[in-house]
Amino acid sequence: DADVTQTPRNRITKTGKRIMLECSQTKGHDRMYWYRQDPGLGLRLIYYSFDVKDINKGEISDGYSVSRQAQAKFSLSLESAIPNQTALYFCATSPAGGASYEQYFGPGTRLTVT
Amino acid sequence: AQKITQTQPGMFVQEKEAVTLDCTYDTSDQSYGLFWYKQPSSGEMIFLIYQGSYDEQNATEGRYSLNFQKARKSANLVISASQLGDSAMYFCAMKGGDQAGTALIFGKGTTLSVSS
């Protein structure tokens, strides 16, 4: 089984709908992240969490909210989806520690807002 | 502010040739890490190689090596003996700062196409 899983893998939704993307990990890492990828822009950070009680905004948090339900679960919500939120969304985890630790990515969720 | 720059939107190489993907970075931190990830057409992010700012030796992982030039703030990825399966998007990323272990900052990526 994959260490970092994301559900759903693909989703098409309509403008104005609320949608939740879920992320689960079995790596036992404290730190979890949500990124968004748009063509030509690389990955940009939406939110990150150092532990269940520590959640922080990233570069592009407007229009998004998150919930860290447990060490292993980190959900991203779009309260009222809009077409420019169409993107590939990645969840990632890393252990606490220094800059040497890589991040482990989930398989991504392709979200289309019509 | 930290920044990663990848100036090559696309690169083309023939099988068995070596290719260098460019990456420059900007940071005022003394301690930082540099990473390369591969993203094939299927979309997943695959970790390739890591270089620490205090590492004196260039990192190598199989056919991948990282040409780290600290004074020039560059961290180029070298792929030796390219294979068709190397065709993918490649991202350079950096992690560092006071909150070491925080999120990665990514460049915009370089698309590598390997032909036979």
Side-chain angles (χ1 to χ4, degrees), chain B residues 3 11 13 29 52 58 66 73 77 89 101 116:
Chain B
K3 185 178 181 180
M11 290 287 286
V13 67
D29 297 318
N58 285 341
L66 199 153
K73 293 189 174 180
L77 177 71
M89 177 79 82
S116 58

Side-chain angles (χ1 to χ4, degrees), chain B residues 5-25:
Chain B
T5 302
Q6 295 180 253
T7 58
Q8 306 156 314
M11 290 287 286
F12 298 86
V13 67
Q14 288 205 312
E15 266 187 306
K16 302 180 184 178
E17 292 184 349
V19 62
T20 298
L21 305 184
D22 293 341
C23 173
T24 58
Y25 61 92

Side-chain angles (χ1 to χ4, degrees), chain A residues 31 33 35 37 40-43 45 48 50 88 90 94 97-105 107 110, chain B residues 31-33 35 37 39 41-45 47 50 91 95-96 99-104 106-108:
Chain A
R31 300 182 176 191
Y33 311 82
Y35 293 90
Q37 183 182 8
L41 293 180
L43 278 72
L45 181 67
Y48 62 102
F50 283 177
L88 180 58
F90 286 103
S94 72
S100 62
Y101 290 100
E102 70 185 84
Q103 291 189 2
Y104 298 81
F105 284 82
R110 291 192 182 274
Chain B
S31 176
Y32 51 89
F35 302 78
Y37 283 83
Q39 186 180 42
S41 59
S42 53
E44 71 265 33
M45 296 290 288
F47 166 72
Y50 160 80
F91 291 99
K95 184 196 293 187
Q99 294 179 312
T102 55
L104 290 167
F106 284 84
K108 294 182 178 182

Side-chain angles (χ1 to χ4, degrees), chain B residues 78-107:
Chain B
V78 180
I79 305 175
S80 63
S82 298
Q83 302 172 355
L84 294 177
D86 294 334
S87 294
M89 177 79 82
Y90 289 81
F91 291 99
C92 180
M94 176 171 65
K95 184 196 293 187
D98 293 336
Q99 294 179 312
T102 55
L104 290 167
I105 297 166
F106 284 84

Side-chain angles (χ1 to χ4, degrees), chain A residues 10-25:
Chain A
N10 291 281
R11 180 72 181 266
I12 300 173
T13 191
K14 294 182 183 291
T15 297
K17 293 291 188 181
R18 183 180 188 276
I19 182 169
M20 179 181 289
L21 309 183
E22 298 185 335
C23 176
S24 294
Q25 54 117 346

